[in-house]
Every structure is written in structure tokens, then in C-alpha cells.
Amino acid sequence: MSRPFVQLQNVNKSYWRDSLEIPVLNDVNLDLPEGEFVALMGPSGSGKTTLLNLIAGIDRPSSGNVIVRGQNVSRLSEGDLARWRSDNIGFVFQFYNLMPVLTAYENVELPLLLTKLSRSERRRQVETALSIVGLADRMKHYPNQLSGGQEQRVAIARAVVTDPVLILADEPTGDLDKVSAQEVMDLLSRLNHEFNKTIIMVTHDPRAAEKAHTQRHLDKGVLNSHESPQAG
Amino acid sequence: MLLVNYSYKNLLARKLTSILTVFGVALVVFVFCAVLMLSNGLRETLVSTGADSNAIVIRRASQTELQSIIFRDMANIIKADPAVARDTEGRPLATGEILVLISKYKRDSNEPSNVPVRGVTEMSITLRPRFELVEGRMWQPGTSEIIAGSKVAGSFRGCGLGETVRFGMREWTVVGIFEAGGTGFESELWGDVDQLMDAFGRPVFSSITVKLGSPSEFETMRARLEGDPRLEVEVNREKKYYEDQSKFTTVFINAMGLTISIIFSLGAIVGAMITMYAAVANRTVEIGTLRALGFSRTAVLWAFLVESMILAITGGLIGVTAAAFLRLVEVSTTNWDTFAELAFSFEMSGSIVVFAMVFAVAMGLVGGFLPAVRAARFRIVNALRTK
Ligand SMILES: Nc1ncnc2c1ncn2[C@@H]1O[C@H](COP(=O)(O)OP(=O)(O)OP(=O)(O)O)[C@@H](O)[C@H]1O
Ligand SMILES: [Mg+2]
């Protein structure tokens, strides 16, 4: 087997509230190969979002290493980390987190503003991303003119527009009805097998989790060592 | 600066607070401009009163014509100076004038104010090429007739065409109205110098104004006259002489205006700050999202700073534009350098526009900085967790 794509080594994370230490992740170890699609499950408050944030380089572990494609993320300076995020990570949020004052097009374009691409190159990439999520005809719409499912698809377009290697999704269907959730899950599956994106997805929804290759469970900050492979 | 479009569209999205903030800045900039335009107008009026090729001679250390005395024999020495230009008949282009302040009532307020009365000669008019009689006629020699500058005629009782005004123990009839290209002369009454000397019982000149053969001869003439032991005079370029008459008053107006503007600007800055703090608070999750996407703290700082700068610059442009219309307004007030009433207009200038815009941008920066810093300092995870 090749070098692991995402690797967590003895990761601990605590938050501090006043002088009280709140342990969130407890000695988490994880090895993911490239092209993996993992569903991360577990009760509320078990530390799923925290784990995702550490892999995304949005937060730093209290101890241990987060290594993505050989890069020890925890060692990067803040500025380098921001650049690293924009180059490598596509993040999908439960509540989409689109900028309400920007159109679908402008929202998807945002991450490209951090690149050296010309306006016309950006346009081509935004159009490609929006057509992958099936919303090429909604470019000029504002978030409040879109349904929840459409908003989440715009957010997915934003996550993939820079062609990142790793997509992290935090309950991407958590706020959606069944049909929209199904669409979003189909889209993520497609990104995984058609575009070979490695995906880590937090979800409470067993139906969504079925789309993943493997499921991992987090409980009170402890990641189950047992992998449960999926048939489909 | 990556997020300019985002900043701009956020301003459009919250129209009401944006408009109110812009309005606050515009108001301050308007006041700021108005004050600078006022002192600039005063200065410009006085500067334009002097002509480049003229020099004015007054008694040493007297500062203005009003305190100056030049005896007739001194006047003759000055007029004979070789630097003085001559007309075709060989007469020196020089004029001895007398200037006296009289107190008269203003038409609108009924308050007394000082009107300068200038005794002039035929040559005086040759030396003031912008002089133009616009109504009535010149005085007849040997009579108690005068002409009034257009600003005096309009604003002082008894100074209109055909009216009579009392001073120097005589009744004077206004027989003509003159203009002088918007200069300070329009705020004066002019009469025959001999009649006025007689009426005021003051048989001496206040000043001698001469036209130079060439402006470059000024320095040599000055050295010659100021060094002459018979004279005890000081020689100034006419332009500089009048410009100096605006010094105290313009400094005073500017100082007062700046103080007022700065106090007002505190209000505008606090207004901008409140608006921007509210914007930061409302958009905490957006800030967290931008940072998660890879935007740096600096990019976020700029996004908010640009917002407050757009507000400030828009306010500044509106304030400057509104102030530009003040040029249509004419004011008349006592010039504290001479204590004479002087009419002038608000006058815009390039440097006033620049100052006003710098002031506006400064308000935007000061008002926007702390909120922008706050936005830039959020921790991403905390920002994303806010509801
Ligand atoms: N930034 C933070 N500051 C303080 N405590 C935090 C912070 N982020 C998370 N926590 C705490 O850490 C624990 C785990 O939070 P986390 O959001 O990772 O859970 P989760 O598994 O994603 O839960 P949910 O399913 O409700 O989203 C919780 O007790 C939470 O209160
Ligand atoms: Mg969570």
C-alpha cells in the first residue's frame, strides 16, 4: 500500500473554557489512502467537527501530528496554513455558509481569488464547477433565491473549484430534505469515483453514510479502531 | 484588496446604515470645506486686489494704509523714482491716496460696520485696470460727490446710487457704482482725494501706489526708497500687501474651522465605527468561512477597512460637491486685519479638495480600523461556531 494520504498520529485536542480543560479528542490515530470516501459518525459532541477542523488545518491539535500528503499540517505557520488550505482543501458546511450578498457565481469564484488565475480562467473554472453540480443556469442567483439543496450544491461547487485533493464535509445533508440530501450524496459519490477526490464526511444520517466506502465511529473523543466497510 | 467586490456588495445590502454613515461623513466634509473655502475666498479676494506690476509705499511699520502717513514732499520723491513707469506725456504712473474708515449701518442687520473710504486721483483708475463704472457717472471735481463699490452700495445704508451718506461733517451724494473684478475695492467708497483730505482735515496721503516700468525693478526700487533717509517708508508689491491683509483673519478662520471640523468628525467616526462593529458582528460566520477557504487575516482586515473607506470616500465626494455650490454664496464680514468690512465669496481650490478627501479617508480609516482588527482576530473555529 502506498503512503497514507491522510494520517493522524496520536492526536489529542482539548479546548479551554476559563481555566477548565475540556478534552475533545483522545489519542486519535487514522490512516486514509488516497481516493477514500469515509463517513465519520458518532453522537453529538463526540468531536467529529473538531477532528474535521484539524484535518482541514482550521485548528491545531493540542498534541500529535496531522499529516496530509506528507505535509505535517500542524507545523505550518498561520500564513502558510491559509495558503495550504486554499490549495488542498475543499470544505462543505452543514449550513452551506454562502456569502448572502454574492451570487452563486461570485460565491464559487471566491477561492479562486486567492490564485493567480486571470478573470477568464476563473470564469471557465467557475462554470465547470457549477455545471458539475448541475447549476450552470443559476449563476446569477443569490443564495436566498435558491433552495437549501441548491445552496449546498453551490457550496460543493465552491469546494471543488480549486480542484483540491481532499474534500471535508461536515453534515452536508444535515439541513436538507430527503430528495435534496439524495442529490447531494450522489454528487459527493460522483466526485469520489469520477474525479477521484478523497472525501471525509461527518454525518448522522445512516443513508448518507451508506454511500461511503467505510464508516468510522467517534465516541467521546475516541475513534473506533474497527473499520466497517460498506458493500456499495 | 481581494474582497473589494464582497465589501462593496455588503454596503449595498445594508443601504440604510450605509447612507446614514455616508451622510455623517459628508456633513463633516462639507463644514470642513466651507471653512477652508471661506478663508480661501477672503485671501483670493485680497490677492486679486493687488496687481502684479504695482507697488505700494506706506510709512514704515504702519502695516496698513490706515495707520500710514505720507507727506506731499515725500510723495514727490517717490513718484520721481526711475523705476516708476510713465505715460506718453511723461507723467509718472503713480497716485497718492488717502484711506479712512467710517462707521455706517448695514442694510440688512442695521448693525454698524466699518466702510473704507478711499480718496483717489485720475491716475488711480489707470493703475486699477479692473475698475469699471457700471452705473451712474464719475464725481464732478470740487463737489461732494462719491462713487460706491458695488458691494458697499448693496449692503450699506445711504450708499446706493442717488442716496446720500454723511461723514467728515459733510453730506456726500453717491453718483456712480463701480465694479473692480470682485476685488477688495468693491467694498470701498471712492471720492476725489483733495475733497476727502479737506473733509477729514488730513492733508496727507495714506499711501502711494506706483506702476513699475518692469516688475523686475521692484527690488532695486525698494532698496532705494527704503534706504532714503528722507522717507522712512516701506515698499511692498501690491499683491503681497493685500495678501498680508488676509493673514490674521485666514489663520483665525482656519483654526476655528479645523477645531469645529475635528469635533464634528468625532461624531462621524463613532458613527462609522458603530456601523462597522455591527457589520463584523453580523458576519462572524462569513468571516470564519472566508478564513476557512484560505483568506488570510490581512485579507479580512482589508475587506472591512475597504468597506469603511468606500463609505468615507463617498461621503467625502458628496461633501465636497455640496460645498462647491457655496461658491454661489457671497459673504460680507469684518476683516480682522484691517477692521474694514470686506465682501467676498467662498472659493474652492484644488488643495481644499485634496485636504477634504484626505480628511474623509482619515475618518474612514480611524472609524473602520478597530472593527476590522476585531474581524481579523477571530479564531476560525470560534467564528464558525457562532449561531
Ligand atoms: N471552539 C471551541 N471552544 C470550546 N469548546 C469547543 C469548541 N469546539 C468544540 N468544543 C466542544 O468540543 C466538544 C466537541 O465538539 P464538536 O463540535 O467537535 O462535536 P460534534 O461531534 O461535531 O458534535 P455535533 O454532532 O453536535 O456537531 C463539544 O463538547 C464542544 O462543546
Ligand atoms: Mg459538528
Side-chain angles (χ1 to χ4, degrees):
Chain A
M1 202 170 104
S2 63
R3 203 162 58 157
F5 193 72
V6 176
Q7 192 172 29
L8 272 65
Q9 299 173 332
N10 311 104
V11 167
N12 288 282
K13 177 70 183 175
S14 321
Y15 286 110
W16 290 85
R17 198 162 285 157
D18 303 322
S19 57
L20 199 69
E21 185 179 2
I22 307 166
V24 179
L25 294 177
N26 186 2
D27 198 32
V28 172
N29 287 281
L30 179 70
D31 281 329
L32 288 184
E34 184 166 12
E36 179 62 284
F37 184 178
V38 195
L40 187 60
M41 305 188 70
S44 184
S46 57
K48 303 181 298 293
T49 298
T50 303
L51 185 60
L52 218 52
N53 288 344
L54 292 179
I55 297 170
I58 285 172
D59 207 354
R60 292 174 191 273
S62 306
S63 67
N65 294 310
V66 175
I67 300 161
V68 179
R69 285 170 97 198
Q71 171 73 61
N72 193 330
V73 177
S74 356
R75 296 248 173 87
L76 291 171
S77 74
E78 197 185 78
D80 290 340
L81 197 54
R83 229 160 294 131
W84 179 85
R85 278 199 299 275
S86 82
D87 290 343
N88 294 284
I89 303 293
F91 211 103
V92 180
F93 303 88
Q94 177 175 359
F95 299 106
Y96 336 127
N97 291 17
L98 299 175
M99 306 295 140
V101 298
L102 299 182
T103 61
Y105 179 93
E106 290 166 329
N107 267 289
V108 177
E109 191 189 23
L110 271 179
L112 295 180
L113 297 178
L114 292 163
T115 66
K116 291 197 172 69
L117 296 181
S118 71
R119 181 182 280 268
S120 60
E121 288 167 323
R122 293 203 301 266
R123 167 160 285 274
R124 219 184 43 238
Q125 257 172 266
V126 172
E127 282 169 356
T128 307
L130 279 169
S131 57
I132 288 172
V133 301
L135 289 173
D137 55 337
R138 296 294 157 93
M139 290 199 296
K140 295 215 167 76
H141 285 55
Y142 286 90
N144 64 8
Q145 298 168 324
L146 298 170
S147 72
Q150 288 171 331
E151 279 192 81
Q152 191 61 299
R153 279 148 63 197
V154 171
I156 291 172
R158 180 178 67 185
V160 299
V161 74
T162 53
D163 200 20
V165 290
L166 184 57
I167 293 175
L168 302 170
D170 195 352
E171 302 188 38
T173 59
D175 204 44
L176 298 178
D177 61 71
K178 241 191 206 164
V179 177
S180 303
Q182 187 62 45
E183 282 172 4
V184 163
M185 284 318 303
D186 289 344
L187 190 52
L188 288 174
S189 292
R190 207 179 130 214
L191 289 173
N192 174 244
H193 63 247
E194 197 172 312
F195 297 92
N196 199 34
K197 301 289 176 207
T198 308
I199 301 178
I200 305 175
M201 173 185 70
V202 169
T203 187
H204 285 297
D205 178 359
R207 225 189 320 252
E210 279 169 19
K211 291 273 183 183
H213 301 158
T214 49
Q215 294 182 5
R216 300 296 299 263
H217 288 265
L218 198 60
D219 198 0
K220 297 198 179 101
V222 179
L223 190 65
N224 280 348
S225 53
H226 176 68
E227 295 185 14
S228 33
Q230 289 292 306
Chain B
M1 290 300 216
L2 299 171
L3 294 166
V4 172
N5 181 46
Y6 170 72
S7 306
Y8 171 69
K9 291 189 105 174
N10 268 296
L11 289 174
L12 293 188
R14 51 187 162 92
K15 281 207 178 59
L16 184 66
T17 54
S18 295
I19 288 171
L20 288 176
T21 315
V22 165
F23 184 73
V25 174
L27 210 62
V28 175
V29 170
F30 177 82
V31 171
F32 181 76
C33 278
V35 171
L36 292 185
M37 286 169 74
L38 192 69
S39 64
N40 188 44
L42 174 76
R43 197 183 147 269
E44 286 293 307
T45 299
L46 286 166
V47 168
S48 68
T49 304
D52 280 323
S53 54
N54 288 356
I56 181 167
V57 184
I58 56 174
R59 190 184 183 84
R60 184 172 303 156
S62 54
Q63 285 174 23
T64 72
E65 290 168 89
L66 292 163
Q67 297 96 351
S68 162
I69 292 175
I70 308 265
F71 295 106
R72 282 181 186 274
D73 51 343
M74 293 161 72
N76 291 333
I77 298 172
I78 295 162
K79 286 181 190 174
D81 190 275
V84 176
R86 286 168 189 274
D87 66 10
T88 46
E89 288 153 52
R91 291 178 303 180
L93 294 177
T95 176
E97 297 177 349
I98 178 173
L99 190 72
V100 178
L101 286 186
I102 60 168
S103 180
K104 287 292 147 209
Y105 286 87
K106 299 191 77 174
R107 286 188 201 278
D108 50 4
S109 62
N110 237 355
E111 299 280 341
S113 191
N114 289 330
V115 181
V117 183
R118 185 180 294 274
V120 301
T121 65
E122 203 183 322
M123 201 57 89
S124 297
I125 287 160
T126 314
L127 263 56
R128 274 57 176 251
R130 297 161 93 169
F131 174 92
E132 189 187 354
L133 198 67
V134 291
E135 269 183 87
R137 55 172 176 82
M138 281 302 285
W139 61 80
Q140 243 138 44
T143 62
S144 293
E145 292 179 347
I146 51 168
I147 58 174
S150 54
K151 306 283 163 58
V152 186
S155 53
F156 281 90
R157 273 162 48 184
C159 296
L161 188 64
E163 293 182 310
T164 57
V165 56
R166 184 172 178 80
F167 60 84
M169 290 177 299
R170 285 204 217 167
E171 295 280 344
W172 302 80
T173 307
V174 178
V175 296
I177 307 289
F178 69 94
E179 284 178 0
T183 64
F185 294 127
E186 290 182 0
S187 294
E188 296 180 348
L189 294 172
W190 281 14
D192 181 73
V193 68
D194 294 322
Q195 291 296 321
L196 287 165
M197 278 185 180
D198 198 36
F200 288 117
R202 200 167 175 268
V204 289
F205 296 113
S206 301
S207 65
I208 312 295
T209 302
V210 305
K211 187 177 169 72
L212 297 166
S214 137
S216 61
E217 288 178 72
F218 172 77
E219 288 302 336
T220 51
M221 184 186 78
R222 166 149 86 180
R224 200 156 42 225
L225 294 181
E226 291 189 352
D228 192 324
R230 297 167 293 174
L231 293 177
E232 287 204 34
V233 292
E234 73 179 63
V235 183
N236 275 304
R237 287 187 190 275
E238 196 183 28
K239 199 152 221 152
K240 171 151 193 319
Y241 169 78
Y242 282 106
E243 183 180 356
D244 285 351
Q245 289 189 2
S246 65
K247 264 192 186 148
F248 175 78
T249 311
T250 51
V251 167
F252 176 74
I253 293 175
N254 284 346
M256 200 171 72
L258 283 179
T259 312
I260 293 171
S261 300
I262 286 168
I263 292 169
F264 275 27
S265 76
L266 295 180
I269 288 170
V270 168
M273 214 180 266
I274 291 171
T275 313
M276 293 311 300
Y277 267 127
V280 171
N282 288 334
R283 274 148 57 197
T284 306
V285 176
E286 292 178 40
I287 294 164
T289 307
L290 288 170
R291 296 282 312 284
L293 292 178
F295 286 92
S296 63
R297 289 186 194 275
T298 318
V300 169
L301 181 96
W302 272 110
F304 284 90
L305 220 46
V306 162
E307 263 183 58
S308 74
M309 302 267 272
I310 293 175
L311 291 174
I313 290 171
T314 311
L317 291 174
I318 293 173
V320 168
T321 310
F325 285 99
L326 284 175
R327 287 151 84 182
L328 307 174
V329 179
E330 186 160 272
V331 287
S332 174
T333 186
T334 301
N335 178 5
W336 293 100
D337 289 84
T338 59
F339 299 102
E341 183 89 4
L342 182 71
F344 55 95
S345 304
F346 288 86
E347 199 61 58
M348 189 60 101
S349 76
S351 54
I352 292 179
V353 173
V354 172
F355 278 143
M357 291 312 295
V358 168
F359 190 44
V361 169
M363 279 190 274
L365 277 178
V366 174
F369 189 71
L370 290 179
V373 166
R374 165 180 234 165
R377 288 174 67 127
F378 283 142
R379 290 192 55 211
I380 306 174
V381 278
N382 293 341
L384 287 172
R385 275 163 58 92
T386 46
K387 295 279 140 42

